[in-house]
Amino acid sequence: LSISERHGVKKTPTVSSIKVHQKYNHVMIGSIKEIILSFLLLVLGRTSAFHFPSSWLPTTSSHRWHLLQMTYYPSPTETEKEIYNIPNSGWKSKQWNWGSARGTGHDAAMICRRRWDNREDRQKLVQSLLDPVEFKASYPDSEVPFEEVKLILGLAWQRGRWDGSDGGPEGYGEVLTIMADARRYEDEDEVISALNFIEDVSKRFATISRNAEELKRMKCIATEIQGRHHHGGKEEIFMDRREVAGMVLDAMGFIDSGL
């Protein structure tokens, strides 16, 4: 024992020992984070994204809004900002750091790519977005949160810069920049965010549309949404937002190409 220890004198930690402890704590926190992320990748990545029969087919448009009025209820899938239960995730989070190798955006992207690496799941996702009213009425517990849909779009647009599927210079690169800026689509009023999203996405659809029919469909949604803003409920706006997202993913070839 040292003289100070034999006489009961409390030893004051040195600067070097404090730094060692701080470094140890930092390493431990990093290791715990890696373990949690690996667990999420394992669980979410290997779990089917959907839990409904493969025989599900979209309904006709004649009674879609009647179904919505009969079955719609407030859902966190339209307003929840956290993705995959990752703390401090979501486009508005200061720790999101979109495009960086460090941040919750990178962590969520890893899970997202793994989660949607199956063509059948991607096809079901697009179908559910193209006819969101019927899907919500039939499978209310299987709806993909829209914040995750935005992440999927972000990754698809990011990938599209290299193969041109994002529509090129006049396409969705600018929308991705706006989304990463986390203001126009992250308004405190989610209805305003949805309207802004629909407006920006519909304007650029001509750069990726495959035929006149789907371009006309997108224009109709963009036109009708203004009337719904004043005379309809927010549920219609949220469903239109999903349909617009589904049309973009479909036209980009997301089903076959993935992320």
Side-chain angles (χ1 to χ4, degrees), residues 56-99:
W56 175 80
L57 293 172
T59 185
T60 59
S61 60
S62 61
H63 67 288
R64 67 194 302 261
W65 296 115
H66 173 71
L67 272 175
L68 181 60
Q69 293 170 0
M70 295 296 292
T71 63
Y72 184 82
Y73 55 89
S75 172
T77 58
E78 302 297 343
T79 57
E80 176 62 44
K81 296 302 180 182
E82 193 174 270
I83 304 176
Y84 302 137
N85 295 318
I86 299 175
N88 301 308
S89 62
W91 292 90
K92 200 171 184 178
S93 170
K94 293 181 179 180
Q95 297 183 32
W96 184 244
N97 294 333
W98 179 255

Side-chain angles (χ1 to χ4, degrees), residues 4-236:
S4 60
E5 288 173 327
R6 287 199 301 269
H7 290 276
V9 178
K10 187 176 181 180
K11 188 176 181 180
T12 303
T14 64
V15 174
S16 60
S17 66
I18 292 174
K19 288 183 177 180
V20 169
H21 283 295
Q22 289 176 337
K23 184 176 181 181
Y24 174 78
N25 290 337
H26 180 74
V27 171
M28 286 296 295
I29 292 173
S31 298
I32 293 172
K33 181 180 177 182
E34 289 181 3
I35 291 171
I36 294 174
L37 180 58
S38 297
F39 176 77
L40 287 172
L41 281 168
L42 179 65
V43 174
L44 293 176
R46 293 185 178 181
T47 302
S48 176
F50 287 105
H51 303 282
F52 59 89
S54 58
S55 60
W56 175 80
L57 293 172
T59 185
T60 59
S61 60
S62 61
H63 67 288
R64 67 194 302 261
W65 296 115
H66 173 71
L67 272 175
L68 181 60
Q69 293 170 0
M70 295 296 292
T71 63
Y72 184 82
Y73 55 89
S75 172
T77 58
E78 302 297 343
T79 57
E80 176 62 44
K81 296 302 180 182
E82 193 174 270
I83 304 176
Y84 302 137
N85 295 318
I86 299 175
N88 301 308
S89 62
W91 292 90
K92 200 171 184 178
S93 170
K94 293 181 179 180
Q95 297 183 32
W96 184 244
N97 294 333
W98 179 255
S100 172
R102 301 182 64 180
T104 56
H106 179 262
D107 297 342
M110 289 175 62
I111 296 174
C112 188
R113 288 191 176 96
R114 180 85 59 88
R115 185 170 170 82
W116 298 102
D117 64 357
N118 180 277
R119 187 187 186 282
E120 184 179 356
D121 281 341
R122 294 196 299 270
Q123 184 174 26
K124 289 178 180 178
L125 171 65
V126 171
Q127 288 176 344
S128 72
L129 292 172
L130 290 177
D131 197 358
V133 178
E134 169 67 15
F135 181 81
K136 189 177 184 69
S138 302
Y139 309 99
D141 297 327
S142 295
E143 191 174 52
V144 175
F146 195 75
E147 198 72 359
E148 182 178 356
V149 174
K150 285 162 60 182
L151 174 58
I152 294 168
L153 283 167
L155 292 173
W157 290 333
Q158 191 177 64
R159 182 181 186 276
R161 289 177 177 177
W162 301 103
D163 60 16
S165 61
D166 69 337
E170 303 299 322
Y172 289 97
E174 184 178 355
V175 179
L176 177 56
T177 300
I178 294 172
M179 193 154 66
D181 186 53
R183 285 184 290 183
R184 183 164 167 79
Y185 312 141
E186 306 297 332
D187 194 274
E188 291 184 3
D189 186 339
E190 192 64 27
V191 172
I192 298 299
S193 295
L195 290 170
N196 289 339
F197 178 87
I198 294 170
E199 178 183 356
D200 293 351
V201 170
S202 62
K203 281 182 178 179
R204 292 163 177 81
F205 190 66
T207 63
I208 64 170
S209 63
R210 296 162 295 186
N211 53 63
E213 183 180 351
E214 61 182 19
L215 182 58
K216 180 180 178 181
R217 177 181 177 184
M218 179 67 80
K219 288 181 177 179
C220 285
I221 294 174
T223 301
E224 292 174 0
I225 196 67
Q226 297 304 322
R228 292 201 184 107
H229 182 206
H230 299 290
H231 305 291
K234 63 181 180 180
E235 59 270 22
E236 289 99 331

